[in-house]
Amino acid sequence: MAAVPDPADSAAGRADTQGYAADWARAVRRLGFVPFSTTETERMLLAHTIRLAAVVRGEPFDARPAEEVGRALVRAHLTDPQILEWTLHALGATFPRRVLGAGDRPADLTDRIAAVQGGLAAGFAAALRERTLGEQERIARSAWRARDEVEQALRESEARFRAVFTGAAIGIGIADVKGRILDVNEAFADMLGYAIEELRETDVAALCHADDAPGMWELYQELIEGRRDAARVEKRYHRKDGSVVWTDVALSLIRHEGRPRFTVAMIEDITQRHELQQRLRFQALHDPLTGLPNRTLFFETLGRVLDGAGDGQRVGVCFLDLDGFKAINDSLGHDLGDRLLVMIGRRLAACVADHGHLVARMGGDEFVILVDGGNDSVDPVAVAKAALAAVAAPAHVGDHQLAVSASVGIVQCPAAETSASELMKAADTTLYWAKAAGRGRWAVYEPERAARDLARSALVAGLPAALDRGEFVLHYQPIVSLLEGRMLAVEALVRWEHPELGLIGPDRFIGLAEETGLIVRLGEWVLRRACADAERWWREFPDARLVVSVNLAARQADDPAIVDTVADALRDSGLPADLLQLELTESAVMGSAGEPLRSLHRLAELGVRMAVDDFGTGYSNLAYLRRLPIHCLKLAGPFVEGIRADGVDLAADHRDERIVDALVRLAHALELWVTAEAVETGAQAERLRALRCDTGQGRFFGPPAPADAITARLRDGQVAA
């Protein structure tokens, strides 16, 4: 093989060779991918050009080195067929002229060029074939190695799965989409008490519990049909020995080529947890003392009854409260009281057991019976009577025999027309009615009465604000001398100018004010306003000496500050004390002792007149009355009403007249002034005058009227005089 000449041997040759190499490099980069830079490509192809020139000039001629140039092109990744085509074409067309000088051209140049072309092409093809075979071999080896690795990984995966499947602490079962069990692990078999071989011969449906939750089998059907990929449920299984095991089941669907093929069930035994949950739920929904359902379970059950009620179905409630249970607790101790509650709870549950009614303890000494008869008519009154009879039976608790009674509020209405809260609110209201009627009573809910109670409650709630807003006014009813016919005094009567209900009489709100304690504030307002009006009359009509009479409630009389309150009212208004009269009911006066009695004497010392209102209707102890600083007795209206003189009942008429006569005589004997109330007719006034009654008050002498009307009456009397 001829040696490769140095490109520096000839400047001209070097220039032509470089130009040829540059054209070759440009063609190569144009025709295919070249993993070198332009400079590197030109340098490499220049070396190949010089080598090919040396081959053509070589003596003796040998074309085999051209094969190495072809191999070199393949090693340089210049393997595009167009590159080979351009290279062979350039060797025959331009290589001799541009690379070989005129003196370097052998006589057989054409044959040599052809041989060089053939050798280069042969070397290119051989190298390309060798590289392709080598790549194929590498690919094959890689494929075999990858397959071996996959098979090894599969074997390891199967081994791991089998180890997990076999040794898992939770049960694992595999079934096909037809429900046939294909395999289970030891934990699954032990959980159900079967051998693995027995379960492999079992169908999934055979393991379903008869009391499974509704929809559970449908859920499994959706899974095996591919409509869902996973599901998780809590269900129970029958073990081989007949016992029940509760499980947490996680089901998964395994697909192959998109189609459902298997189901995998992972099952955990949660029997202990389920039993604990059941115990906790029982404790949460039952009274710890009596074991009866508590208010939470009661309202849950009532809600279900109301939600599932059909047309025409009625639901009833008997709300029961023991009478005087607090006294038993306070006197005999809470332990005995608890034992009594347990006994009462058992009796109530037993008395309705045959009817399936729910008995619950609401708290304290309150029990409730849910009367749900479905579409059948069940009388809740009969249930209430049975409950009262059960409670009233003699109760032997320890060494004590107790007489126990209860009160029951009864409500029954169409289930579609009420709610749980409304039903219990009505029952509570009705229980209050029964309590108010006495021990051992029952009451039935009446919407009209409830409406009245609601209106009453609204009045109670509005009283404080009404007093703050100045909605109360005073009307005055004349008290007239029966002998002279002159107005000697007026009684201050409070009215409520309600913004919605209009003018409300005292019979609708005074009792409410006494119950709530507002009577003290309201009474003080009445006192101050009445003193102010009376002072104005005294100033304008001093000769009339008109006395204003103000009612004093029992709670006001018991107030230690009552004397100071009256004194302040007199001082602030400027009214002389002898023109103020305070009226107390007979029961309030007769019950006065200690501080209230001292307060009455102190009020009398101020110069204030004291009167007993509605005398004759209460406990009349004349000896006690004599000790009190009383100036006037006001005879109760019923005695005066009996003096009708209409001939309807002459015997009763004469009896009432004799009573009035006796009362007037006794009062005069005690040096007390006597006023007859409820004088409605002239005949009554005449007969009272004949009985020497001092003054009269009633419609005959004038109804209650505003202060301006009294002023006008005083002015008219002055003009007449």
Side-chain angles (χ1 to χ4, degrees):
M1 181 180 297
V4 177
D6 187 347
D9 291 347
S10 169
R14 186 171 60 252
D16 287 339
T17 302
Q18 287 179 344
Y20 181 85
D23 289 344
W24 194 5
R26 282 192 292 274
V28 164
R29 298 185 68 82
R30 185 179 71 252
L31 297 174
F33 170 74
V34 179
F36 308 109
S37 66
T38 301
T39 302
E40 290 173 337
T41 304
E42 289 185 4
R43 185 181 300 116
M44 177 185 65
L45 294 180
L46 176 60
H48 293 331
T49 301
I50 295 173
R51 188 168 189 176
L52 290 174
V55 172
V56 173
R57 295 191 193 100
E59 292 295 344
F61 174 73
D62 185 1
R64 284 180 295 176
E67 296 180 7
E68 183 58 30
V69 174
R71 292 179 179 273
L73 292 176
V74 173
R75 287 196 298 273
H77 302 288
L78 305 179
T79 57
D80 192 283
Q82 292 183 339
I83 294 176
L84 177 61
E85 181 182 357
W86 190 94
T87 300
L88 296 177
H89 175 74
L91 280 175
T94 62
F95 181 82
R97 174 173 52 79
R98 298 185 63 186
V99 177
L100 300 177
D104 293 336
R105 297 175 185 171
D108 55 349
L109 177 61
T110 301
D111 294 338
R112 291 191 179 195
I113 289 297
V116 169
Q117 288 175 324
L120 188 146
F124 186 92
L128 188 60
R129 182 173 63 255
E130 291 172 0
R131 193 179 78 166
T132 301
L133 292 175
E135 290 178 352
Q136 290 177 345
E137 184 177 355
R138 285 195 300 275
I139 291 172
R141 284 199 299 269
S142 298
W144 282 105
R145 187 165 52 252
R147 186 183 65 182
D148 291 343
E149 291 174 355
V150 168
E151 290 178 351
Q152 180 63 27
L154 181 59
R155 287 192 295 270
E156 292 176 355
S157 175
E158 290 177 349
R160 286 194 298 270
F161 171 76
R162 180 54 57 180
V164 171
F165 183 81
T166 304
I170 64 173
I172 303 175
I174 303 173
D176 61 19
V177 293
K178 294 182 179 180
R180 293 192 301 269
I181 296 178
L182 303 178
D183 200 3
V184 296
N185 67 353
E186 192 68 32
F188 192 108
D190 291 344
M191 195 181 303
L192 300 184
Y194 290 91
I196 293 178
E197 291 74 16
E198 290 178 300
L199 289 174
R200 286 173 179 165
E201 299 173 357
T202 305
D203 192 85
V204 171
L207 299 178
C208 290
H209 195 280
D211 296 328
D212 278 340
M216 189 171 294
W217 181 247
E218 289 76 5
L219 183 67
Y220 180 72
Q221 287 295 120
E222 291 179 6
L223 189 76
I224 62 178
E225 291 172 5
R227 286 183 285 168
R228 63 170 62 233
D229 291 327
R232 186 164 187 170
V233 295
E234 288 188 5
K235 75 178 301 296
R236 59 197 133 179
Y237 290 101
H238 278 303
R239 302 183 82 251
K240 188 176 181 179
D241 60 7
S243 60
V244 174
V245 57
W246 276 91
T247 63
D248 183 354
V249 183
L251 291 168
S252 300
L253 178 66
I254 307 300
R255 299 175 184 269
H256 179 68
E257 296 180 352
R259 293 184 300 170
R261 293 295 301 274
F262 308 104
T263 58
V264 176
M266 304 185 70
I267 303 178
E268 181 182 4
D269 186 347
I270 59 168
T271 302
Q272 292 183 347
R273 187 181 77 190
H274 178 79
E275 292 174 351
L276 176 60
Q277 290 175 340
Q278 292 301 108
R279 288 196 298 271
L280 292 176
R281 175 171 173 77
F282 183 88
Q283 293 172 6
L285 298 178
H286 289 77
D287 176 50
L289 178 64
T290 63
L292 294 174
N294 61 12
R295 62 184 301 115
T296 302
L297 181 54
F298 172 79
F299 278 106
E300 283 186 7
T301 306
L302 179 58
R304 287 196 300 270
V305 170
L306 295 177
D307 292 341
D311 294 338
Q313 182 173 340
R314 299 176 66 83
V315 62
V317 165
C318 296
F319 199 2
L320 182 146
D321 182 84
L322 299 183
D323 298 324
F325 180 73
K326 183 178 183 301
I328 296 176
N329 260 347
D330 293 343
S331 60
L332 301 179
H334 287 269
D335 178 64
L336 187 141
D338 288 346
R339 292 161 64 186
L340 176 61
L341 289 175
V342 173
M343 178 182 295
I344 296 300
R346 290 173 180 169
R347 289 182 179 181
L348 292 175
C351 78
V352 300
D354 295 340
H355 304 283
H357 303 317
L358 175 69
V359 179
R361 183 187 178 204
M362 300 298 283
D365 59 343
E366 293 181 340
F367 298 85
V368 63
I369 303 173
L370 176 59
V371 183
D372 174 29
N375 293 323
D376 298 331
S377 177
V378 178
D379 184 10
V381 174
V383 175
K385 290 180 177 179
L388 289 178
V391 171
H396 298 275
V397 183
D399 297 332
H400 301 273
Q401 179 172 334
L402 305 176
V404 186
S405 65
S407 302
V408 181
I410 305 169
V411 181
Q412 187 181 46
C413 62
E417 298 178 4
T418 188
S419 65
S421 59
E422 292 175 350
L423 195 65
M424 290 309 299
K425 180 181 177 181
D428 190 55
T429 299
T430 313
L431 175 61
Y432 175 80
W433 297 345
K435 283 281 188 184
R439 300 169 66 95
R441 302 294 186 90
W442 54 266
V444 179
Y445 181 73
E446 300 174 18
E448 296 79 9
R449 183 176 178 182
R452 292 195 299 270
D453 285 355
L454 185 62
R456 182 174 181 273
S457 299
L459 290 179
V460 170
L463 275 173
L467 186 57
D468 295 336
R469 290 193 295 263
E471 294 177 1
F472 291 98
V473 296
L474 289 185
H475 285 190
Y476 297 92
Q477 188 169 34
I479 300 175
V480 177
S481 169
L482 291 175
L483 181 63
E484 301 174 356
R486 186 168 63 90
M487 183 171 62
L488 302 180
V490 290
E491 181 179 357
L493 301 172
V494 65
R495 302 289 189 268
W496 182 359
E497 287 187 332
H498 196 282
E500 298 177 0
L501 303 177
L503 193 65
I504 300 177
D507 57 312
R508 292 185 59 184
F509 64 85
I510 288 296
L512 304 179
E514 291 178 345
E515 291 177 9
T516 59
L518 191 67
I519 191 64
V520 176
R521 280 186 59 201
L522 180 60
E524 182 178 351
W525 178 87
V526 170
L527 175 66
R528 291 182 177 276
R529 183 57 184 267
C531 287
D533 289 340
E535 191 277 335
R536 189 172 69 252
W537 294 324
W538 173 67
R539 190 165 19 88
E540 188 173 351
F541 310 103
D543 295 337
R545 300 290 296 176
L546 188 68
V547 175
V548 63
S549 188
V550 179
N551 289 281
L552 201 65
R555 184 170 290 191
Q556 287 179 276
D558 292 341
D559 186 2
I562 183 60
V563 177
D564 295 334
T565 300
V566 173
D568 290 344
L570 292 172
R571 183 178 60 253
D572 293 345
S573 65
L575 179 71
D578 62 332
L579 296 184
L580 173 64
Q581 176 174 276
L582 299 179
E583 296 185 17
L584 291 89
T585 62
E586 184 180 3
S587 58
V589 172
M590 294 304 169
S592 298
E595 185 62 35
L597 182 60
R598 285 192 292 271
S599 296
L600 296 182
H601 282 285
R602 289 175 60 196
L603 288 171
E605 290 170 0
L606 289 176
V608 175
R609 294 170 56 85
M610 308 296 296
V612 177
D613 195 15
D614 292 332
F615 185 77
T617 60
Y619 175 70
S620 301
N621 186 330
L622 297 179
Y624 181 74
L625 187 65
R626 189 177 51 144
R627 296 167 45 204
L628 297 176
I630 301 299
H631 302 84
C632 175
L633 294 182
K634 299 187 73 173
L635 300 182
F639 295 119
V640 178
E641 291 171 0
I643 308 176
R644 294 186 296 272
D646 53 8
V648 174
D649 189 347
L650 292 177
D653 186 28
H654 290 306
R655 184 169 57 249
D656 288 333
E657 185 172 338
R658 288 194 298 271
I659 292 174
V660 171
D661 181 46
L663 291 175
V664 170
R665 290 176 182 274
L666 287 172
H668 286 168
L670 294 171
E671 300 181 351
L672 299 178
W673 196 267
V674 181
T675 298
E677 295 183 303
V679 180
E680 304 293 328
T681 66
Q684 287 177 324
E686 287 298 327
R687 297 182 70 174
L688 289 168
R689 184 183 299 112
L691 294 173
R692 301 181 62 190
C693 185
D694 300 297
T695 54
Q697 175 183 355
R699 292 280 176 179
F700 177 72
F701 300 109
D708 292 343
I710 301 299
T711 302
R713 184 163 176 169
L714 287 171
R715 187 173 292 116
D716 292 342
Q718 188 180 51
V719 171

